[in-house]
Each structure stands twice: as C-alpha cells, then as structure tokens.
C-alpha cells in the first residue's frame, strides 16, 4: 500500500508543481512500446471451503505460491505535453495508457508442498500517467524523466498444478479480477530532428487485492475449493517510440 500511495503522491505533486510556469511548446503525441515483463512471485492465500464433491478440509489453509517466467510486455498511449515548467528544469506530460503483460507460470507450491505447476497469467492495465521530463538545456537531445501512474489492473489467471501425487493438473487457481493499479517509472528519451522520439523505460507496478478461485478440475470436474487472494506486482523494461503532433 505504501508504494501505491507514493505513486499517487508523485502524480499529484508533479501535477501541482507543473502549473507554476507555462512553456511555449505544448502538444499531443501518441506512443507505443514493447519490452519485457517480469512479474514478481505471487502468494495467494485463503481458507478451504469445498463445495460438495470437491476434495479438501473445511477451514484448512489454501496457500498457493507461484513463480513466473519473464515474458512479453507491450502498450500504447496518447499523451499531452502540457508546456508547464517549474524551476526551469522540470516539464510535465500527461498520458492515457493501455498496456499488457503475458507471463507463463514457471513453478509453484501448494501449502509449501512440492507439486508440478504450469499455466499462465495476463495483466491488462488502464492508466493515467504523469511524467516529468528533466530538461536543463534548450538544445538537449537526451532527456531523463520520472513519473508514475494510477488506474485499473485486470488479472486473468489460469494457474494449474497436480496435487496429491497426480500426474496431470487436478487443481487450478483461476479467474479474472480487477484492482487498483499503481506504477512508478523512470526512463530516458532520445529526441530526433523530426517529430519522432525514441525512449527506454523501467517501471515497477502493483495491483491490489486480486481474488481468484482454487478449483478441483480432475476428470472433467469444476468444483470450488477455496477463494484465494494476493497483491500482484513486478517490473517492466521497455523501449518505445513517440510521434508528436
């Protein structure tokens, strides 16, 4: 929660500070990026409450640890360079962004056991971003920036594992849920002589209170065992282009 509060505070602070002085070069732009998404480990937890026919013990813990491979991250945004400047150094941009991470499950455990895991998880982001470019020279072509965003993250998970000595998956932590998403980011823009810019960015993200269902799926069954939840977080590393208008 502290990290999301920090991201929200950073957005508000830069937006307030950005109103100090107006520059002469505001305008819209569009951008697209592609890179690597590195989801952090998930620790889904809950209490078993199996419906009739589902194995399990009512009241027993249902703790699912999941580790992910790094995988594809991509997104698009429409932004506005406000022209606001403060301290003759910081310039503010605002963005609306859609982005996505797809990641395969690498390994995991149920209640600290040793089970084979598989499956995948996708995360869709809808964000309002606020970036601050750090510009100390009029002819500067390499421009560092910092910022953050806040919005909604939608997690769609299909985490499979074989428990109780089974040779094929007989349980799944599955479903889709949305939560408050926050990001903190930093990067560098490489300005060109025309309307196209290149940039690279590193980002930390967090999505709060995602709830999934642990379900028994052996033999064609689909029975609820427990509801489990956790916060999802991780990092992305991307490169992109901006087209200014």
């Amino acid at each position: 929660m502290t990290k999301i509060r920090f991201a929200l505070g950073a957005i508000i602070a830069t937006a307030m500070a950005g109103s100090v002085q107006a520059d002469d070069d505001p305008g819209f732009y569009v951008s697209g990026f592609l890179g690597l998404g590195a989801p952090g480990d998930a620790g889904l937890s809950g209490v078993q409450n199996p419906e009739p026919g589902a194995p399990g013990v009512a009241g027993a813990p249902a703790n699912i640890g999941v580790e992910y491979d790094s995988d594809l991250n991509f997104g698009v945004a429409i932004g506005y360079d406000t022209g606001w400047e403060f301290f003759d150094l910081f310039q503010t941009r605002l963005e609306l962004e859609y982005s996505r991470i797809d990641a395969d499950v690498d390994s995991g455990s149920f209640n600290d056991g040793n089970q084979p895991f598989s499956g995948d998880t996708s995360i869709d982001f809808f964000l309002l971003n606020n970036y601050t470019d750090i510009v100390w020279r009029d002819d500067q072509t390499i421009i560092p920036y910092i910022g953050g965003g806040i919005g909604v993250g939608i997690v769609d998970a299909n985490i499979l594992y074989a428990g109780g000595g089974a040779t094929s998956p007989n349980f799944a932590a599955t479903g889709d849920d949305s939560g408050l998403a926050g990001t903190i980011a930093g990067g560098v823009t490489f300005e060109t002589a025309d309307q196209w810019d290149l940039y690279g960015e590193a980002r930390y993200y967090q999505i709060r209170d995602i709830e999934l269902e642990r379900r028994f799926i052996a033999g064609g069954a689909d029975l609820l065992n427990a509801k489990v939840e956790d916060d999802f977080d991780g990092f992305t590393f991307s490169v992109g282009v901006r087209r200014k208008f």
Side-chain angles (χ1 to χ4, degrees):
M1 189 65 177
T2 301
K3 291 170 182 172
I4 285 188
R5 287 175 178 166
F6 176 80
L8 180 57
I11 294 169
I12 294 171
T14 54
M16 292 175 64
S19 64
V20 173
Q21 178 181 333
D23 194 19
D24 296 327
D25 195 25
F28 286 96
Y29 62 87
V30 293
S31 65
F33 60 86
L34 184 68
L36 183 70
D41 298 347
L44 297 154
S45 61
V47 177
Q48 296 186 47
N49 185 23
E51 64 184 33
V57 178
N63 299 322
I64 305 172
V66 186
E67 296 183 11
Y68 289 98
D69 290 325
S70 298
D71 215 320
L72 181 67
N73 167 53
F74 65 90
V76 294
I78 181 169
Y80 184 68
D81 191 334
T82 66
W84 296 340
E85 183 179 305
F86 60 101
F87 300 123
D88 292 323
L89 184 63
F90 304 113
Q91 299 178 5
T92 301
R93 294 183 283 114
L94 302 174
E95 282 187 358
L96 291 174
E97 176 194 311
Y98 165 75
S99 58
R100 181 181 174 93
I101 299 172
D102 289 300
D104 292 328
V105 174
D106 177 66
S107 60
S109 66
F110 175 69
N111 285 347
D112 296 322
N114 183 19
Q115 302 91 4
F117 270 65
S118 59
D120 53 63
T121 297
S122 65
I123 306 174
D124 293 283
F125 294 93
F126 299 87
L127 299 170
L128 171 63
N129 298 325
N130 184 302
Y131 290 112
T132 297
D133 294 323
I134 304 172
V135 182
W136 57 87
R137 267 198 342 255
D138 291 340
D139 61 349
Q140 188 175 331
T141 58
I142 300 177
I143 301 173
Y145 65 87
I146 58 173
I150 192 166
V152 176
I154 302 173
V155 177
D156 189 349
N158 188 36
I159 302 163
L160 308 172
Y161 67 96
T167 57
S168 60
N170 55 0
F171 281 93
T174 187
D176 59 86
D177 194 17
S178 60
L180 176 66
T183 69
I184 301 174
V188 177
T189 298
F190 302 89
E191 290 199 333
T192 66
D194 55 22
Q195 293 175 302
W196 293 92
D197 292 339
L198 305 176
Y199 67 95
E201 181 176 299
R203 173 185 295 185
Y204 170 81
Y205 67 85
Q206 187 181 84
I207 310 167
R208 298 286 295 177
D209 299 329
I210 295 299
E211 184 178 85
L212 304 174
E213 294 183 346
R214 180 185 186 238
R215 304 190 71 87
F216 178 68
I217 58 171
D222 187 13
L223 301 172
L224 177 68
N225 169 269
K227 293 186 177 181
V228 292
E229 65 177 29
D230 190 26
D231 302 332
F232 279 67
D233 68 353
F235 293 88
T236 63
F237 307 91
S238 57
V239 294
V241 295
R242 297 192 196 100
R243 172 65 161 81
K244 297 177 288 187
F245 297 98

